[in-house]
Amino acid sequence: MTNLPNVLNLKPNRLLAELNAIRAIVIKQWLHTVRYPTWVLQLLIWPLIFPAAYILTARAFAGPEQIALPVFNAATGTDNYIGYIVIGTLIWMWQNIVLWNVGLSLREEQLRGTLESNWLTPVWRFSLLIGSILVQTVTIFFFIAVTFLEYRFLFQIHFQGNIGLVILAFAVAFPSIYGIGITFASLVLRIKEANSLVHFVRGFVMIFCGITFPISVLPGWMKSVSQWLPQTYVIRAIREITLVGADFNMVKQDLLILLGFGFIWMVIGYFAFTFMDRLSRRSGSIGQY
Amino acid sequence: MKNNEIELPKITLRSYLNVLFVIANKDWKVYWRYPINALVNILNPLIWLAPIFFLGKAFSQNGEALGFAAYTGSTDYMSFLILSTAISNFTSAVFWGMGYALKNDMDSGVLESNWMTPIPRLLILIGRTLNSLLVTSIISLIMIILASLIFGFRTTGNIWASVLTLIPMLLGLYGFGFGFAALVMIMREANTMVDMGQFLIDLFSGSQFPVTVLPRWLLPVALSIPLTYGYDAVRGWLLNTKTILPIQTEIQLLLVFMVVMIIAGVFVFRKLERRVRSRGTIGQY
């Protein structure tokens, strides 16, 4: 008969063990994503049809002979209203996807009844969210690439500027977008009315961040609100780079502000997560839905 | 009556009406049981209107959307949009509410027992339609009132004519909903189909813009969707916008749409419902 050891030999290298856990979470999340083949359809069609609704409306506003286009140019600094709308709606879609996928990842585990057992494993709990974010990052990368390619080649929309700078702008926006997602994921563990909350948060971005319009047309109090939202800055920076051909110095300030927001949202996200974790464990509500 | 016989009540028109009332009443209670969801249904269309409102401002000079007026004959683009959004609420109710009506019962595990009751199955859907029509009308009315306060809404036309025009359109839409509900019941996982389906129908029927702005190659798609004429005719009545066809012709098309959709919806529902029963998947989800 084999003698069982008195002490279980857990992996001595804590970091390696955590990385291993994250790898397992990533594989699980990836399998979930690709299990439903409609994700390919969504990846190809949404980047095309969502901006299209606003683009066609803008076309109606421009008029049959584009008589109102100079007015738009005066307000935005560009004639390219299609590119202008594509960039704004792309950032909105990014935040929206993060809210649904990362923001609801823990809630979905809660609904499936697997959150409590996962919570009991000897793994850093934050890894559950990191795994979701990593898978999300891969799919969103394709989503962004598909958006630019579809509008470039199907609609001949000319995006200019340094591609490295565009990638940098997306990269510095990353912590803010995902920080909001993490905060959201933590809140819905307690509040539970997840779908309604997604509508409110993404609605905020839709109203205040200028996804289809320049912030200058907003009333004063709305302009003040928009300045506190990171999406405003990423939309403006990417528009400047891709539509006006701005260089690093021209968008440096927006990128620095985005980094600041990113730091703040990541800290808020982490503390919201640990606070909600402690609260839920104390009240025994982790397994409830 | 012998002691070992149970006398079942006779099926009369009154008993059918009673069933309709019970189903509609149950749906009504369930809907208002989640007040935050109801609030979202009122506020969400307003949220979606905001980017268009400000986009219109970016194209307007001294508050006049001249480009828009050249297409529609009216510079009042917000009334155009608010009206379209109110109609669009019904499309959404048919796709998400009616489309998922049977699927939701399936998920809650009550469909099989409801199916065993001695009432025509179509009646279950008609009962749900009544509640959906009532709730969506209330939500749309509140939305229009709020939108009027926020964005401004003016009608100068004939309200009753527009309501009468809406009736065949809505009946046709709900007729389509019968077939669609059965399709979702058979497919079970249909979120993507419903989400994209509704978005595309709204897009091509010109819920946000006059369909004449569509590229030439897309215009036939818009003109082949009967809802296009519904949106167009109602806006024509209420806002005096230029219509694609004479309003009388658009109403005739809507009447044809209503008859075809109700017949087709009932036919598809019966076919698919029989198929689900023969496969024995009514209780599965």
Side-chain angles (χ1 to χ4, degrees), chain A:
Chain A
M1 199 179 89
T2 320
N3 285 330
L4 288 170
N6 287 337
V7 179
L8 282 174
N9 189 15
L10 292 172
K11 284 211 175 201
N13 189 334
R14 178 84 182 154
L15 178 69
L16 213 64
E18 287 300 341
L19 289 176
N20 213 20
I22 289 175
R23 190 178 68 95
I25 295 163
V26 166
I27 292 171
K28 187 263 294 176
Q29 282 294 125
W30 180 253
L31 287 176
H32 270 240
T33 306
V34 296
R35 177 65 188 81
Y36 301 100
T38 49
W39 72 279
V40 179
L41 202 66
Q42 298 197 43
L43 187 73
L44 293 175
I45 295 185
W46 276 120
L48 205 60
I49 63 171
F50 184 75
Y54 291 111
I55 291 166
L56 290 165
T57 311
R59 201 170 142 133
F61 285 134
E65 307 296 329
Q66 304 216 310
I67 48 171
L69 203 53
V71 185
F72 180 80
N73 191 329
T76 61
T78 178
D79 273 344
N80 185 356
Y81 66 85
I82 298 181
Y84 193 87
I85 290 170
V86 168
I87 304 292
T89 48
L90 174 63
I91 301 300
W92 182 85
M93 284 192 283
W94 185 15
Q95 185 67 77
N96 182 43
I97 293 169
V98 168
L99 288 174
W100 283 113
N101 293 1
V102 177
L104 297 193
S105 59
L106 296 179
R107 178 79 184 128
E108 272 173 15
E109 296 258 13
Q110 202 172 36
L111 289 169
R112 279 189 219 124
T114 51
L115 187 67
E116 202 163 21
S117 49
N118 287 343
W119 229 241
L120 290 168
T121 55
V123 171
W124 186 39
R125 292 184 187 115
F126 204 64
S127 302
L128 288 171
L129 277 179
I130 293 176
S132 285
I133 290 172
L134 290 176
V135 173
Q136 240 298 296
T137 310
V138 175
T139 50
I140 210 69
F141 171 79
F142 284 111
F143 192 85
I144 292 168
V146 165
T147 305
F148 277 109
L149 290 174
E150 281 182 343
Y151 276 89
R152 175 72 193 90
F153 293 105
L154 293 178
F155 295 94
Q156 312 295 319
I157 302 305
H158 186 62
F159 293 105
Q160 46 183 313
N162 184 337
I163 191 162
L165 200 53
V166 177
I167 293 170
L168 180 70
F170 274 107
V172 294
F174 184 94
S176 303
I177 302 279
Y178 285 86
I180 292 170
I182 292 167
T183 311
F184 189 80
S186 313
L187 290 177
V188 292
L189 271 184
R190 291 285 300 177
I191 300 172
K192 297 189 167 80
E193 289 260 20
N195 289 21
S196 307
L197 270 179
V198 171
H199 287 292
F200 281 120
V201 176
R202 70 180 196 175
F204 224 71
V205 178
M206 193 170 246
I207 294 171
F208 291 100
C209 298
I211 65 166
T212 58
F213 52 86
I215 299 297
S216 59
V217 301
L218 289 175
W221 70 272
M222 290 182 80
K223 274 185 207 161
S224 311
V225 175
S226 75
Q227 283 169 5
W228 290 96
L229 300 169
Q231 294 85 353
T232 306
Y233 298 93
V234 64
I235 291 172
R236 189 166 66 191
I238 296 176
R239 274 180 186 153
E240 287 287 314
I241 301 164
T242 55
L243 303 178
V244 187
D247 60 18
F248 178 74
N249 285 325
M250 291 164 78
V251 292
K252 191 169 71 180
Q253 202 186 347
D254 282 345
L255 299 186
L256 283 173
I257 293 171
L258 273 173
L259 274 180
F261 270 120
F263 176 75
I264 292 167
W265 273 111
M266 276 291 171
V267 171
I268 293 174
Y270 183 73
F271 280 107
F273 182 82
T274 47
F275 177 72
M276 287 299 172
D277 168 36
R278 205 173 312 132
L279 207 66
S280 302
R281 273 191 294 142
R282 213 174 275 169
S283 60
S285 62
I286 283 277
Q288 295 171 3
Y289 62 91

Side-chain angles (χ1 to χ4, degrees), chain A residues 38 41-42 46 49-50 53-54 56-57 59-61 63-64 68 71-72 196 199-200 202-203 206-207 212-214 218, chain B residues 36-37 40 44 47-48 51-52 54-56 58-60 67-68 70-71 77 192 195-196 199 203 208-209 213-214:
Chain A
T38 49
L41 202 66
Q42 298 197 43
W46 276 120
I49 63 171
F50 184 75
Y54 291 111
L56 290 165
T57 311
R59 201 170 142 133
F61 285 134
V71 185
F72 180 80
S196 307
H199 287 292
F200 281 120
R202 70 180 196 175
M206 193 170 246
I207 294 171
T212 58
F213 52 86
L218 289 175
Chain B
I36 295 183
N37 276 347
V40 167
N44 220 17
I47 290 171
W48 284 73
I52 311 175
F54 292 117
L55 177 65
F59 278 98
S60 301
F68 187 78
Y71 271 118
Y77 65 90
T192 308
D195 206 6
M196 282 188 185
F199 195 89
L203 183 73
Q208 288 186 11
F209 47 81
V213 308
L214 284 167

